[in-house]
């Protein structure tokens, strides 16, 4: 009998975890839809709700942080954009996601540029470029060069 109880508990916790994942993902997808339709303020609410619900999928969480950073950037709340791009960078490094680290570095560079922190922006954009070249990511390399040029231009 005890084996059945343990089995039932394991199934229940799996179901709860699955439900948590689905809820977080559903909220994030709605946030993305709202931002794409031009309602970034509402999108931010859904992304923040997704973070509150939580997820065990760290790549999903990284994507949510990135989207939150981009939404706040679009809303001209650069302090919040910086905060979430930092979270994204830290998480990407923690899970060994080099492509994610490159993108987060580029996003940080753009945000730092707007804030007038040009030296820090150059470091971030250069990191984006270095990683993109390491990964032979030509699109990432082009974006990094464009961003680096914009920082020097500013």
């Amino acid at each position: 009998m005890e084996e059945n109880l343990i089995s039932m508990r394991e199934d229940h916790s799996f179901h709860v975890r699955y439900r948590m994942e689905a809820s977080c993902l559903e909220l994030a997808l709605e946030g993305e839809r709202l931002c794409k339709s031009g309602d970034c303020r509402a999108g931010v609410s859904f992304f923040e709700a997704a973070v509150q619900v939580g997820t065990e999928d760290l790549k999903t969480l990284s994507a949510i942080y990135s989207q939150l950073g981009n939404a706040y950037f679009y809303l001209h709340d650069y302090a919040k954009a910086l905060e979430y791009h930092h979270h994204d960078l830290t998480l990407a490094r923690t899970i060994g996601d080099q492509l994610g680290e490159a993108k987060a570095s580029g996003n940080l560079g753009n945000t730092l540029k707007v804030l007038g922190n040009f030296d820090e922006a150059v470091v971030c954009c250069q990191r984006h470029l270095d990683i993109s070249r390491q990964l032979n990511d030509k699109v990432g390399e082009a974006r990094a060069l464009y961003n680096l040029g914009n920082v020097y231009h500013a």
Side-chain angles (χ1 to χ4, degrees):
M1 186 70 168
E2 183 130 336
E3 279 182 21
N4 288 340
L5 287 175
I6 292 169
S7 176
M8 284 171 41
R9 283 189 191 134
E10 286 173 356
D11 288 344
H12 177 68
S13 71
F14 171 77
H15 176 71
V16 169
R17 191 173 341 69
Y18 172 78
R19 204 49 236 153
M20 183 177 73
E21 295 292 329
S23 296
C24 178
L25 189 57
E26 288 164 3
L27 289 165
L29 289 171
E30 181 62 12
E32 184 177 36
R33 188 193 68 73
L34 286 164
C35 284
K36 283 182 179 175
S37 74
D39 192 356
C40 279
R41 221 167 271 298
V44 161
S45 296
F46 276 86
F47 288 134
E48 287 182 343
V51 169
Q52 289 301 310
V53 167
T55 178
E56 292 180 5
D57 182 348
L58 298 181
K59 278 208 170 204
T60 297
L61 184 58
S62 179
I64 294 168
Y65 284 157
S66 178
Q67 290 179 317
L68 263 167
N70 290 336
Y72 277 119
F73 185 94
Y74 180 82
L75 293 170
H76 305 286
D77 188 341
Y78 302 116
K80 280 282 200 188
L82 201 61
E83 176 187 337
Y84 281 106
H85 288 315
H86 268 295
H87 288 324
D88 185 26
L89 178 63
T90 301
L91 190 52
R93 284 180 175 161
T94 300
I95 62 176
D97 177 8
Q98 284 195 296
L99 185 59
E101 182 180 346
K103 290 177 179 179
S105 295
N107 287 334
L108 271 173
N110 286 333
T111 307
L112 289 163
K113 178 196 78 173
V114 169
L115 292 170
N117 299 344
F118 301 114
D119 291 339
E120 287 179 76
V122 166
V123 169
C124 290
C125 290
Q126 186 63 53
R127 182 75 180 136
H128 183 193
L129 179 60
D130 293 344
I131 295 171
S132 295
R133 285 181 171 162
Q134 259 181 340
L135 298 175
N136 200 27
D137 174 10
K138 296 300 182 187
V139 173
E141 185 177 349
R143 287 184 177 138
L145 287 167
Y146 177 82
N147 291 338
L148 201 52
N150 278 333
V151 173
Y152 280 115
H153 179 73

